[in-house]
Amino acid sequence: MYKTILLPVDLNEEGFSHIAAEHACALAKISGASIHLLNVLPTSQLPMVSAHFPASVLQEIRKSAYSALQDFAKKNIDDSITTHIHMAEGRPSKEIIKAANKYNADLIVMPSHKRAKLELAVIGSVAAKVVSAAAMNVMVVKPQ
């Protein structure tokens, strides 16, 4: 069924990305797929903000996010599933599509945000962009 699942994780969405991880793990176990976890930092899309921080601070932000993503994997991804951890910087929807193509994902499993605008109440704005731009299947997991 699936060989490679991309699971974008929003580390700012406390208690919600783990629900998408449950779905990704279930599908990975059934099909023998690997999971690629991805976190996208917005630092490169905020050049005016990042220009005011020394490079060492930005490097510390990257290290901290990577560590948090590793912790997320330990807590939420079954040890029997081959898991890869990736970081990217930029616009989340664009970086998710880029990663899905780079890692040959045949499925993206991602959470929808609770804080979506009224016209995107059913599906978050990042998820909506990914669904419309992705060449592969996308499963959007809604908050419960």
Side-chain angles (χ1 to χ4, degrees), residues 123-139:
I123 185 170
S125 60
V126 172
K129 290 175 186 173
V130 170
V131 167
S132 67
M136 66 287 301
N137 291 327
V138 180
M139 173 190 254

Side-chain angles (χ1 to χ4, degrees), residues 30-66:
I30 290 168
S31 60
S34 63
I35 293 178
H36 287 256
L37 287 172
L38 174 69
N39 179 252
V40 181
L41 296 172
T43 52
S44 66
Q45 78 179 59
L46 302 171
M48 293 175 57
V49 174
S50 62
H52 295 290
F53 290 104
S56 61
V57 171
L58 293 175
Q59 187 61 27
E60 190 57 39
I61 290 169
R62 291 178 185 111
K63 281 183 186 178
S64 177
Y66 188 81

Side-chain angles (χ1 to χ4, degrees), residues 4-89:
T4 306
I5 298 171
L6 179 67
L7 176 61
V9 175
D10 185 348
L11 297 170
N12 294 321
E13 280 291 311
E14 286 293 323
F16 181 58
S17 287
H18 77 282
I19 297 169
E22 289 174 12
H23 289 273
C25 286
L27 290 168
K29 285 181 183 180
I30 290 168
S31 60
S34 63
I35 293 178
H36 287 256
L37 287 172
L38 174 69
N39 179 252
V40 181
L41 296 172
T43 52
S44 66
Q45 78 179 59
L46 302 171
M48 293 175 57
V49 174
S50 62
H52 295 290
F53 290 104
S56 61
V57 171
L58 293 175
Q59 187 61 27
E60 190 57 39
I61 290 169
R62 291 178 185 111
K63 281 183 186 178
S64 177
Y66 188 81
S67 177
L69 195 55
Q70 287 178 312
D71 290 343
F72 179 90
K74 287 177 188 172
K75 291 178 189 173
N76 298 286
I77 306 297
D78 190 293
D79 291 338
S80 66
I81 300 169
T82 301
T83 306
H84 307 276
I85 296 175
H86 308 283
M87 299 294 300
E89 294 183 35

Side-chain angles (χ1 to χ4, degrees), residues 85-136:
I85 296 175
H86 308 283
M87 299 294 300
E89 294 183 35
R91 288 202 166 103
S93 58
K94 188 174 186 178
E95 294 304 318
I96 290 167
I97 297 297
K98 191 186 302 183
N101 290 326
K102 180 177 181 178
Y103 304 118
N104 296 312
D106 41 14
L107 177 66
I108 301 170
V109 177
M110 62 185 300
S112 165
H113 286 292
K114 297 175 188 176
R115 58 181 184 264
K117 294 178 181 178
L118 182 59
E119 68 272 13
L120 296 171
V122 174
I123 185 170
S125 60
V126 172
K129 290 175 186 173
V130 170
V131 167
S132 67
M136 66 287 301

